[in-house]
Every structure is written in structure tokens, then in C-alpha cells.
């Protein structure tokens, strides 16, 4: 039985972490077998294929209001998979803090802050937090979803659908993950990585054209700072997905700009101050506050 099937009947609700009425994504915290568990429910978009029969899939109407030529109500639909479900089990305090609705602020990381606050924080993160990355890199998870895998330990990377991708082209969301483990984040990048980054970008362009028929001009490739996972990866989204999660300034750095900066100044990311948005429940929020 799958993880999800196992967990659902045992889930004991504790509290709502967040309920975004605009994106229609809810995160719930609960307990399963005495351990924390996060469930997320997201209303899906209608698949093109079911649109012609949508009117025939209405089962029950409630809250009906009618006025002249206008009417509206709430409907229960039959035979449509209308919710995307995700499970994190067992969930750590870091997961709970990540998905809980909270105030966010903009902080400025100087190179010195990086050395004295951020780097010690990164080093304190247990290796197992990126186990999901290693499972992908060594072929023990999501194997049937891999779009591209160059196994070279220095220059290689994997491209696959991001956990956030709902499968439609307008909301394309892939992720490219490096095989090498020594690039922690944007801060680690130097002029020596330019050819690696250019090759990765080129491969993304080719695969997006081949698999989903999107041109380079229809793609937004970016790197998060601060990322949640300090193992180098690049986010690949459709430009059309203008409100993709994490696409905002204060978080997303365009790959093109990153490459350009490194070509101009090979040590750009070791010298620059980087502003970043962080939630008040994140460890770095507290670490910066006292420094
Ligand atoms: P990030 O910038 O480190 O963190 O990106 P973010 O989650 O704050 O954006 C990590 C990316 O990896 C995100 O886009 C996640 O949705 C994605 N991701 C995380 N996990 C645990 C998985 C996973 O297990 N599989 C896949 N395919 N993607 C994941």
C-alpha cells in the first residue's frame, strides 16, 4: 500500500497551517502513529479533455440562487479528480515552519553575514533533509519521472518534474539538480561554474522544446536565495506561470543574470550583498534578529 493510502485513515487533525483562498491550497498538520504529518489539499484546474462533458458531471446542487436570467450555486461534481493531495510524513519542525502561514520580512545578507550566520546554519542542517535529492540522483526514487540524467559527478545533473508541477504546460515547473554536492547555493557559484550553468541552461531549452514545445523565450529559469535545500538546483518554469510559487523578487534570481554576473565578475556572489525574504518561523529569521 502506498504512503498516502496508509496515512489518510490514520490522520488525526491537529491544526490548519495555512489556507490560501486564492491558490486554493490548504496545509493541515496532524498526527499519524504519534508522529507529525502534513497533508496538503489543492483544488486542481479542469483538464481540457473533460470540458465538453462538464455540464453532465454535476451531481448535487446546493445554495441555489436565481434571479431573472441569472443563477448560481455550489455543485458536487462526479468522476473528476478535483484535488491534488500531498503528504509529508514524518514531518519535521522545519516542514511545519515552512508551510505555516506567517509574516515575512526582507533581510540583507552581506558576505560577512553569510560566513557568520548563514553558513553555520547550513552546516547545522542534518544531511537527511536532502535525502530526497540523493534518492533522485542515485536512481532510487521518481525514476520513471526523470526527463534527463547526465551522471557525470562533476558536470552532470538531473532534470525532472518538480513536486509543485500539476502537469499542464502553462504551469510548467521542472527542477534541474546538480550531481555535484559542493555547490550549496548561489553563494558558492564562481566563474568556474559558468560552463556548467550554460550547459544546464541549454539542455533545459532543448528538453522544453522537445517535451512540451516551449521556446527559450517562454521559459523562466531561476535560482532561489535562500533555498529550502542547500544542494544546487535550478527552477524551470513557464513564463506563462506568472505567479508560480517562489517566482518573486527577494527569492528568485534569473539564471541568465547569474551567468552574466559570473562572466563579468567571477567572484560576484562571494562579494555581493543579497536581500532575501524570510518567514518569521524560519531559523534564519531568529539568527539574523540577534546579530
Ligand atoms: P528550493 O528553492 O530549495 O525550495 O527548491 P522551495 O521549496 O522553497 O522552493 C526545491 C525545489 O524542489 C522546490 O521547487 C520543491 O517543490 C522541489 N521538491 C522538493 N521535494 C521534497 C521534492 C521531491 O521529493 N521531488 C521533486 N521532484 N521535487 C521536490
Amino acid at each position: 500500500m502506498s504512503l498516502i493510502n496508509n496515512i489518510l485513515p490514520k490522520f488525526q487533525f491537529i491544526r490548519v497551517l495555512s489556507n490560501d483562498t486564492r491558490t486554493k491550497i490548504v496545509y493541515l498538520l496532524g498526527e499519524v502513529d504519534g508522529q507529525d504529518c502534513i497533508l496538503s489539499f489543492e483544488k486542481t484546474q479542469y483538464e481540457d479533455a473533460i470540458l465538453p462533458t462538464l455540464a453532465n458531471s454535476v451531481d448535487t446542487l446546493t445554495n441555489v440562487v436565481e434571479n431573472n436570467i441569472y443563477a448560481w450555486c455550489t455543485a458536487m461534481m462526479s468522476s473528476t479528480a478535483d484535488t491534488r493531495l500531498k503528504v509529508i510524513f514524518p514531518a519535521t519542525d522545519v516542514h511545519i515552519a515552512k508551510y505555516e502561514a506567517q509574516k515575512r520580512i526582507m533581510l540583507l545578507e552581506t558576505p560577512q553575514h553569510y560566513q557568520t550566520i548563514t553558513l553555520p546554519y547550513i552546516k547545522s542542517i542534518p544531511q537527511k533533509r536532502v535525502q530526497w535529492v540523493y534518492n533522485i540522483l542515485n536512481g532510487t526514487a521518481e525514476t520513471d519521472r526523470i526527463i534527463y540524467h547526465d551522471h557525470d559527478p562533476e558536470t552532470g545533473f538531473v532534470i525532472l518534474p518538480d513536486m509543485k508541477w500539476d502537469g499542464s504546460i502553462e504551469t510548467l515547473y521542472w527542477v534541474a539538480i546538480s550531481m555535484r554536492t559542493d555547490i550549496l547555493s548561489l553563494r558558492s557559484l564562481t566563474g568556474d561554474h559558468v560552463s556548467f550553468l550554460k550547459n544546464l541552461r541549454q539542455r533545459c531549452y532543448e528538453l522544453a522544446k522537445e517535451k512540451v514545445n516551449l521556446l527559450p523565450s517562454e521559459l523562466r529559469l531561476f535560482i532561489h536565495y535562500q533555498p529550502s535545500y542547500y544542494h544546487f538546483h535550478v527552477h524551470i518554469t513557464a513564463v506563462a506561470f506568472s505567479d508560480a510559487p517562489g517566482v518573486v523578487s527577494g527569492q528568485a534570481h534569473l539564471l541568465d543574470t547569474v551567468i552574466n554576473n559570473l562572466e563579468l565578475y567571477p567572484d560576484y556572489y562571494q562579494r555581493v550583498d543579497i536581500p532575501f525574504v524570510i518567514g518569521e518561523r524560519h531559523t534564519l529569521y531568529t539568527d539574523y534578529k540577534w546579530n
Side-chain angles (χ1 to χ4, degrees), residues 182-196:
D182 59 339
I183 310 175
L184 300 177
S185 73
L186 198 57
R187 276 281 184 209
S188 312
L189 292 175
T190 69
D192 291 344
H193 300 115
V194 167
S195 60
F196 163 70

Side-chain angles (χ1 to χ4, degrees), residues 53-285:
T53 55
L54 215 46
N56 313 111
S57 315
V58 179
D59 261 356
T60 323
L61 304 183
T62 44
N63 303 323
V64 180
V65 184
E66 294 181 358
N67 182 352
N68 185 242
I69 61 167
Y70 305 100
W72 57 96
C73 65
T74 328
M76 296 255 286
M77 309 291 286
S78 61
S79 68
T80 54
D82 67 352
T83 301
R84 196 165 301 113
L85 191 57
K86 286 183 198 146
V87 173
I88 303 179
F89 179 73
T92 63
D93 289 348
V94 178
H95 290 116
I96 298 170
K98 175 170 169 171
Y99 292 110
E100 181 136 46
Q102 61 203 278
K103 183 182 159 198
R104 290 175 201 277
I105 59 162
M106 184 78 76
L107 293 174
L108 186 69
E109 183 190 82
T110 64
Q112 207 207 339
H113 286 138
Y114 175 70
Q115 292 299 336
T116 58
I117 307 174
T118 311
L119 196 52
Y121 159 71
I122 298 172
K123 288 188 175 154
S124 76
I125 300 173
Q127 184 83 354
K128 65 173 192 271
R129 200 158 330 144
V130 285
Q131 189 55 49
W132 69 272
V133 170
Y134 294 123
N135 291 348
I136 291 170
L137 299 183
N138 65 28
T140 54
E142 303 188 54
T143 33
D144 51 341
R145 292 162 55 80
I146 305 287
I147 300 168
Y148 177 83
H149 199 163
D150 170 347
H151 290 83
D152 189 295
E154 276 290 302
T155 58
F157 49 89
V158 176
I159 301 177
L160 80 164
D162 193 285
M163 196 169 76
K164 292 171 191 152
W165 192 30
D166 64 13
S168 75
I169 296 175
E170 311 85 77
T171 54
L172 180 89
Y173 208 131
W174 290 351
V175 62
I177 307 175
S178 74
M179 290 296 288
R180 57 192 290 175
T181 55
D182 59 339
I183 310 175
L184 300 177
S185 73
L186 198 57
R187 276 281 184 209
S188 312
L189 292 175
T190 69
D192 291 344
H193 300 115
V194 167
S195 60
F196 163 70
L197 296 173
K198 283 187 169 173
N199 180 37
L200 185 150
R201 177 176 63 183
Q202 185 56 30
R203 205 53 76 215
C204 292
Y205 286 165
E206 289 164 8
L207 289 162
K209 181 76 190 81
E210 184 190 319
K211 307 283 181 196
V212 288
N213 199 26
L214 288 179
L215 297 170
S217 57
E218 294 169 311
L219 296 175
R220 180 185 275 123
L221 272 52
F222 58 91
I223 298 163
H224 274 164
Y225 202 77
Q226 305 284 335
S228 296
Y229 305 98
Y230 291 85
H231 177 112
F232 186 71
H233 56 276
V234 174
H235 300 256
I236 301 139
T237 66
V239 171
F241 195 8
S242 53
D243 60 350
V247 81
V248 291
S249 62
Q251 190 173 11
H253 296 251
L254 289 177
L255 181 61
D256 286 336
T257 310
V258 170
I259 292 174
N260 199 221
N261 288 339
L262 292 171
E263 282 181 323
L264 291 170
Y265 307 103
D267 58 351
Y268 182 88
Y269 289 102
Q270 288 75 58
R271 288 169 50 198
V272 76
D273 293 350
I274 310 182
F276 65 96
V277 171
I278 201 95
E280 64 185 350
R281 294 211 46 189
H282 196 288
T283 310
L284 282 178
Y285 176 94

